[in-house]
Amino acid sequence: MKNSNIVNFQEYKINRDYYNIGLIIGALRAELENGTVDMESVYSLLTDNAKSAISSDIICVGGVAR
């Protein structure tokens, strides 16, 4: 049973990490929408595995990945 007076440090760390990830993604989205950052710059931050997954998804819907 979970006691409300005890902090679960693993849960706190996971929540903090996801919160930070959300902040970064939100900032990148805002910069993309404002036009201050181009898509290629954001795309270059991704790993090869992520780029491969995105490429396969884009090809499935009939687009072209650069």
Side-chain angles (χ1 to χ4, degrees):
M1 184 185 277
K2 200 173 194 178
N3 186 344
S4 62
N5 294 329
I6 297 173
V7 175
N8 184 339
F9 289 107
Q10 182 176 6
E11 185 177 325
Y12 169 77
K13 183 180 180 309
I14 290 170
N15 289 341
R16 186 193 66 208
D17 290 347
Y18 279 113
Y19 176 77
N20 291 339
I21 291 168
L23 285 176
I24 292 169
I25 291 172
L28 282 173
R29 180 179 177 185
E31 294 294 324
L32 284 166
E33 288 176 354
N34 288 335
T36 54
V37 172
D38 58 347
M39 185 64 78
E40 289 79 17
S41 297
V42 176
Y43 187 75
S44 68
L45 296 172
L46 301 173
T47 63
D48 290 337
N49 288 340
K51 290 177 186 176
S52 176
I54 291 171
S55 295
S56 65
D57 286 349
I58 291 174
I59 290 170
C60 287
V61 295
V64 177
R66 292 189 228 176

